[in-house]
Amino acid sequence: MLNRSIFLITLLGTSSLFASNYSLSVSADATKFDYAETDSSGSLLDTERADFGKVSGLSVTMEPRYEGLYFSASYANGNTDYVGSLIDSGDPYGSYKGITTNEVSDYNFGYKSTARDPRGGWEMPVTIGVGYRRWLRQLGYDELYDWGYYNVGIGLHYRMSSIMTIGADASYRKAFSAQMYENWHGYTYNLNNVYGYKITVPFELKINQALSTFIAYNYEFWNIDKSNSVGGYYEPDSETNNETVSFGFKFNF
């Protein structure tokens, strides 16, 4: 709740720095969660999975209509089904099942520039920026994954009519200062080769000049290679394959 309040206050306060011709988008999000850790042979060690509705949240974006600075923030929490094994038990994957509580937040800031069809049929936004991702995983003890990342994106939006627009956006993300802290032993692990991408397919319906409603499908992937060893322990290879459906409103200024 505190994270949610902080990013909303920060975003709304930042909006006063922007000139006119900006939009503020607010959406409710439902996420299908899919995380898996594997050993060096690719065999599963543990998974965190949840269907749509068990992990939900809120996203807010302030962005220019065509060119300028943008800022986005999202927060989600909920429970996932854990399948794995107890620490140090030596038992195989699937020998232990439980429920994990999760909090995931993401912040992204950068610059957007848009190429346009002079006739208004299509637009191609290009973005470059930096972000920060934080995932708190509580499975009897805490694991906190966090990193900064560089973000480069491109999209194509097509105007179907005077009130309907459909599009596709894709961004590549390369992490820096990636770490995982756990309070079972009190160790911090340096995560290797962390990268990801995000694909968004939005459909927007204009209500009037100042207000639109939209629905969007989002697919987000993250890769983490095995970490360094600390005290005889390490963080194994892992992948995140999350899907999110967002429904919200866009306010144009």
Side-chain angles (χ1 to χ4, degrees), residues 24-29 58-59 203-205 207 211-216 245-251:
L24 174 66
S25 301
V26 181
S27 69
D29 308 324
L58 178 70
S59 294
F203 175 78
E204 182 178 337
L205 180 65
I207 298 173
L211 180 64
S212 302
T213 185
F214 65 90
I215 186 169
V245 175
S246 302
F247 175 78
F249 293 92
K250 178 186 286 187
F251 306 91

Side-chain angles (χ1 to χ4, degrees), residues 29-91:
D29 308 324
T31 296
K32 182 179 180 181
F33 207 96
D34 187 351
Y35 171 80
E37 295 182 354
T38 57
D39 62 20
S40 57
S41 67
S43 300
L44 284 173
L45 295 175
D46 67 59
T47 54
E48 298 280 2
R49 290 177 176 146
D51 291 330
F52 285 111
K54 291 186 177 181
V55 178
S56 59
L58 178 70
S59 294
V60 185
T61 300
M62 176 72 74
E63 63 180 348
R65 181 71 178 87
Y66 298 116
E67 187 171 2
L69 299 176
Y70 72 86
F71 179 80
S72 66
S74 64
Y75 173 83
N77 63 18
N79 294 335
T80 53
D81 296 318
Y82 173 87
V83 178
S85 61
L86 294 174
I87 294 177
D88 299 331
S89 67
D91 294 333

Side-chain angles (χ1 to χ4, degrees), residues 3-221:
N3 282 341
R4 187 181 305 178
S5 300
I6 289 173
F7 83 68
L8 284 172
I9 293 170
T10 302
L11 180 61
L12 294 174
T14 304
S15 66
S16 63
L17 299 176
F18 296 115
S20 60
N21 212 17
Y22 266 73
S23 67
L24 174 66
S25 301
V26 181
S27 69
D29 308 324
T31 296
K32 182 179 180 181
F33 207 96
D34 187 351
Y35 171 80
E37 295 182 354
T38 57
D39 62 20
S40 57
S41 67
S43 300
L44 284 173
L45 295 175
D46 67 59
T47 54
E48 298 280 2
R49 290 177 176 146
D51 291 330
F52 285 111
K54 291 186 177 181
V55 178
S56 59
L58 178 70
S59 294
V60 185
T61 300
M62 176 72 74
E63 63 180 348
R65 181 71 178 87
Y66 298 116
E67 187 171 2
L69 299 176
Y70 72 86
F71 179 80
S72 66
S74 64
Y75 173 83
N77 63 18
N79 294 335
T80 53
D81 296 318
Y82 173 87
V83 178
S85 61
L86 294 174
I87 294 177
D88 299 331
S89 67
D91 294 333
Y93 169 78
S95 60
Y96 177 79
K97 298 180 180 180
I99 301 296
T100 300
T101 300
N102 305 271
E103 290 186 9
V104 181
S105 54
D106 193 281
Y107 305 87
N108 197 330
F109 175 82
Y111 188 81
K112 170 186 172 182
S113 182
T114 305
R116 293 175 281 166
D117 176 5
R119 295 168 296 181
W122 57 265
E123 296 179 355
M124 183 180 293
V126 176
T127 57
I128 184 169
V130 293
Y132 172 72
R133 178 178 172 84
R134 178 183 185 274
W135 173 29
L136 177 61
R137 182 187 184 199
Q138 298 175 302
L139 59 169
Y141 64 99
D142 292 352
E143 292 187 347
L144 176 61
Y145 301 75
D146 73 330
W147 54 76
Y149 61 86
Y150 303 108
N151 182 75
V152 179
I154 189 169
L156 182 63
H157 296 184
Y158 175 71
R159 187 177 298 278
M160 302 172 65
S161 72
S162 61
I163 63 171
M164 291 187 295
T165 302
I166 192 169
D169 299 283
S171 62
Y172 174 77
R173 300 169 172 190
K174 178 61 177 178
F176 59 88
S177 301
Q179 294 183 325
M180 190 276 275
Y181 167 77
E182 48 87 2
N183 64 4
W184 181 273
H185 303 97
Y187 295 153
T188 297
Y189 305 89
N190 294 322
L191 305 175
N192 293 309
N193 192 31
V194 180
Y195 66 89
Y197 58 86
K198 184 176 182 179
I199 298 171
T200 300
V201 179
F203 175 78
E204 182 178 337
L205 180 65
K206 181 186 292 186
I207 298 173
N208 54 47
Q209 291 299 317
L211 180 64
S212 302
T213 185
F214 65 90
I215 186 169
Y217 168 81
N218 307 273
Y219 172 75
E220 186 174 29
F221 169 84

